[in-house]
Amino acid sequence: MFWKRAAGGADWLIVALGNPGPKYEGTRHNAGYDALDAAARQWGVPVNRVKFEGLTGSVALEGQKAVLLKPTTYMNLSGRSAAAAARFYKLPPERVLVLCDDIAQPPGRLRIRPGGSAGGHNGLKDLIACLGSQEFARIRIGVGAKPTPEYDLAAWVLGRPGKAEAAAIAARHADIEQAIRLILAGRLGEAQNRFNG
């Protein structure tokens, strides 16, 4: 799809899903926040401007201008923040990239997709509803499944991974940063081939 940036606009919106505040730092549900924070540190850009009910920053990568967004609306209302930013920058869903946790994957396993359903993820569900489309790219970051079917899902995703699990997730941050670059460069298929699984 041909794309032309609006004057003073952006080419991409990168949305990291999570919950704001110290209470939620390091939890499984904040894997998206943590991955974007790690990438932003590598790029030397702060994500601290309050806008669109979230924290934002911007970076130029691969000849593209990307707006970084961490919604502070809490996970289940992430779409409200992302849709406001997408409307402001006149970006279609195909120009949105989402980083989020995935309980269907073992800790540290990545699943990069160009679109698709929410797969039971409430943050993605709200994004799909607010953007009016499921055709946005996402990097799903494995945080591991519940230990038993009876285990409370909210307690699991709002809990903190063990030391080995946390290390496995953090070990993929460099790959996530590289995957973001490839996706922005229009090479999502290559990102999938290199980093999925």
Side-chain angles (χ1 to χ4, degrees):
M1 183 181 81
F2 176 75
W3 171 254
K4 191 174 189 309
R5 182 198 309 167
D11 299 297
W12 282 89
L13 174 64
I14 302 175
V15 183
L17 301 189
N19 289 307
K23 177 182 173 184
Y24 298 103
E25 283 175 10
T27 60
R28 293 180 181 88
H29 234 4
N30 276 29
Y33 267 19
D34 294 341
L36 186 65
D37 285 342
R41 280 194 299 273
Q42 188 164 336
W43 301 328
V45 297
V47 184
N48 58 9
R49 285 181 55 214
V50 179
K51 202 172 182 182
F52 311 119
E53 293 187 89
L55 298 175
T56 72
S58 63
V59 66
L61 292 173
E62 308 302 323
Q64 305 281 297
K65 182 182 176 188
V67 172
L68 315 178
L69 173 65
K70 292 167 61 178
T72 52
T73 49
Y74 292 95
M75 181 66 79
N76 295 3
L77 297 174
S78 301
R80 192 168 75 190
S81 170
R87 275 194 306 272
F88 181 85
Y89 291 107
K90 299 179 173 60
L91 294 170
E94 296 82 8
R95 287 269 158 175
V96 176
L97 169 60
V98 177
L99 313 180
C100 67
D101 61 295
D102 186 356
I103 62 165
Q105 304 294 321
R109 180 174 288 179
L110 303 182
R111 190 167 181 225
I112 300 168
R113 299 187 67 199
S117 71
H121 192 290
N122 287 333
L124 289 176
K125 203 177 292 180
D126 197 57
L127 274 164
I128 290 167
C130 293
L131 291 173
S133 171
Q134 57 183 25
E135 299 309 310
F136 53 86
R138 69 283 306 262
I139 300 175
R140 297 184 67 143
I141 304 156
V143 296
K146 298 187 298 179
T148 64
E150 301 78 31
Y151 201 99
D152 182 67
L153 178 61
W156 180 250
V157 295
L158 296 177
R160 290 175 174 80
K163 200 171 180 180
E165 296 168 320
I169 296 166
R172 299 308 301 274
H173 286 167
D175 290 340
I176 293 167
E177 191 270 341
Q178 287 298 305
I180 291 170
R181 287 180 177 273
L182 287 170
I183 292 167
L184 265 56
R187 293 153 65 191
L188 186 141
E190 186 179 335
Q192 288 179 297
N193 291 336
R194 283 181 59 184
F195 301 120
N196 273 0

